[in-house]
Amino acid sequence: MSVQIRKRGRPRGRAGGLGAEDSGGIRALDRALDILDLIAVSSGLTLTEIAQRLDMAPSTVHRVLVTLAARGVAESDSQTQAWHVGPTAFRHGSAFMRRSGLVERARPLLRRLMEVTGETANLGILNGDAVLFLSQAETHETIRAFFPPGTRSALHASGIGKALLAHARPADLKRMIREMRLERFTEMTLTDPQALLDDLARIRARGYALDNEERTPGMRCIAAPIFDLAGEAAAGISVSGPSLRMSDARLEAMSEAVIEAARELSLGMAPASRAGESG
């Protein structure tokens, strides 16, 4: 799955709009995070490639990379000159995943769900206008879905995303639908707001969401929401795989397994006031 990185040219002045500093941000930090975002979703990029993709001056990119490397957030391959995320970035990401303990509690359930269904099991949470995948138990099949931790996916075109939308508060759902860009990824993607709302109603009625090749042709996903003690949909769990293996004949059994895993995780959700105390 790819993550779109917005290009950043010369920041606009006051006459043309707000730059990062005008809106309360720090322009240099904003650019550094754009570079980090790009190399995090790439298999290695040279300085020139980074500069071209982000429409930045090579000298600016060089200064940022040197700074990131000094802190261990980025590192370069001495042979290929390609840049990758460094060990410090991993430590920062691990701190985020320790915050609620959800990942640790979900790990054995993800493994069991993968073994029962034979497909890759995923854990994700709402992250702005997207799903952020936190953990995964990969199937042993050669052809399989792959959502490494840190991957983001559009809410309207993912199983977990639609499961979370279906159980959002009505006012929040109305706002999110209004603000979302319903991008079309395949012929099956729901890009009409009413069509999406109708699908969310079906999800609430049957207890699980189905991504029916809406993000990637030939791939399906079944997902169910994980509720906290306040009854809010705090996360989602799913299984993903090729449509040929996740056939209509298997949907009932697979959806029951996903719903049961979500139910077990919901029962184990810690109160919000205690989240992160064990980290």
Side-chain angles (χ1 to χ4, degrees), residues 103-115:
V103 173
E104 287 302 316
R105 290 198 299 274
R107 188 165 287 120
L109 283 172
L110 289 172
R111 187 74 182 177
R112 189 178 73 192
L113 186 58
M114 181 274 291
E115 292 172 347

Side-chain angles (χ1 to χ4, degrees), residues 21 120 127 139 168 189 218 233-234 251 264:
E21 292 174 350
T120 296
N127 180 238
T139 179
T189 308
L251 282 184
E264 288 192 43

